[in-house]
Amino acid sequence: SQELEQSPQSLIVQEGKNLTINCTSSKTLYGLYWYKQKYGEGLIFLMMLQKGGEEKSHEKITAKLDEKKQQSSLHITASQPSHAGIYLCGAGLSYGGSQGNLIFGKGTKLSVKP
Amino acid sequence: SQTIHQWPATLVQPVGSPLSLECTVEGTSNPNLYWYRQAAGRGLQLLFYSVGIGQISSEVPQNLSASRPQDRQFILSSKKLLLSDSGFYLCAWSRAPPRPVYEQYFGPGTRLTVT
């Protein structure tokens, strides 16, 4: 079955440091979504990427989708304690299929030490 | 703007008892609605999705069921809970096709503990 692999599973960084989280699939993705979740809370939508080579930024977070649309990275610049949480990637499996159903990676737990 | 609500926020239920979780969406019409379960170490698992009133698709066979009695209301139920039903249940909505994919927006979740 189709899976999204996220790496690393967890990450501890010092405040002010940069970090990167990866999301990889063996198949072409139709829509790649990044979410952030704080423990015990719902998912907050961060960004969506659709086109190969696309890159989007929001504040200090940048997400990229590779040309083959099989891998995405989420990069945080100058991390802050407010960036701490679980980052999940989600993706559509087929163009126009399954009514927009997504599959998700298992998440990357980010801790930022002040 | 659109908002999504889930009720209750937390629930502790004994094995064998019934379950009813509610999700409502405001500020949009004819959304696609989704139920997910998030269990420790297993990621986010899609349980049900609905494209309209009375239309439910199940992704994973289990003792849970879903219903959509109104356009913006989605209910997750069980007649008899199992220990394995414990987890964090998330409801989400997205705009309906014809676009191929839409971002999904999630509710605050319900933490279910089956004892």
Side-chain angles (χ1 to χ4, degrees):
Chain A
S1 62
Q2 177 71 5
E3 289 186 350
L4 290 179
E5 297 290 334
Q6 278 190 243
S7 63
Q9 290 185 334
S10 64
L11 193 55
I12 302 174
V13 299
Q14 195 73 38
E15 182 177 358
K17 296 295 186 183
N18 302 336
L19 63 107
T20 299
I21 298 169
N22 293 302
C23 177
T24 304
S25 170
S26 59
K27 297 183 180 179
T28 300
L29 303 172
Y30 296 93
L32 190 289
Y33 304 79
W34 283 101
Y35 290 87
K36 179 185 175 185
Q37 183 183 28
K38 292 192 173 181
Y39 179 76
E41 299 181 11
L43 278 65
I44 299 170
F45 173 73
L46 296 176
M47 280 175 276
M48 180 186 77
L49 305 166
Q50 275 195 294
K51 299 177 182 177
E54 187 175 7
E55 179 176 323
K56 288 186 177 179
S57 293
H58 176 68
E59 297 180 344
K60 294 186 178 180
I61 301 176
T62 300
K64 300 179 184 180
L65 182 62
D66 74 338
E67 290 290 343
K68 290 185 178 180
K69 297 199 295 182
Q70 289 183 299
Q71 184 172 3
S72 178
S73 61
L74 186 81
H75 184 77
I76 299 178
T77 303
S79 59
Q80 301 170 356
S82 60
H83 288 128
I86 300 171
Y87 289 82
L88 293 102
C89 64
L93 296 179
S94 61
Y95 188 88
S98 300
Q99 301 296 329
N101 291 354
L102 304 180
I103 58 168
F104 286 86
K106 292 185 177 181
T108 295
K109 183 179 178 181
L110 172 64
S111 301
V112 180
K113 295 194 297 184
Chain B
S1 64
Q2 300 85 12
T3 55
I4 179 169
H5 305 277
Q6 286 188 245
W7 185 88
T10 59
L11 193 60
V12 180
Q13 292 282 97
V15 169
S17 64
L19 172 74
S20 181
L21 303 182
E22 185 171 340
C23 171
T24 56
V25 181
E26 297 177 354
T28 188
S29 59
N30 195 32
N32 281 7
L33 296 173
Y34 310 84
W35 276 113
Y36 290 89
R37 177 169 58 203
Q38 191 176 36
R42 297 186 62 183
L44 206 59
Q45 181 184 37
L46 178 64
L47 302 176
F48 301 93
Y49 70 92
S50 171
V51 300
I53 296 174
Q55 301 179 62
I56 309 294
S57 295
S58 175
E59 291 293 301
V60 181
Q62 58 216 325
N63 70 321
L64 299 171
S65 62
S67 61
R68 185 169 176 175
Q70 300 179 41
D71 181 47
R72 289 169 288 179
Q73 184 185 31
F74 205 21
I75 296 172
L76 184 69
S77 304
S78 174
K79 292 182 179 179
K80 289 185 178 181
L81 283 168
L82 305 173
L83 285 174
S84 57
D85 291 325
S86 293
F88 192 52
Y89 287 82
L90 289 157
C91 180
W93 75 274
S94 70
R95 290 179 179 82
R99 275 179 60 181
V101 286
Y102 277 109
E103 54 266 30
Q104 294 182 12
Y105 298 96
F106 286 78
T110 294
R111 173 75 57 190
L112 172 66
T113 303
V114 182
T115 60

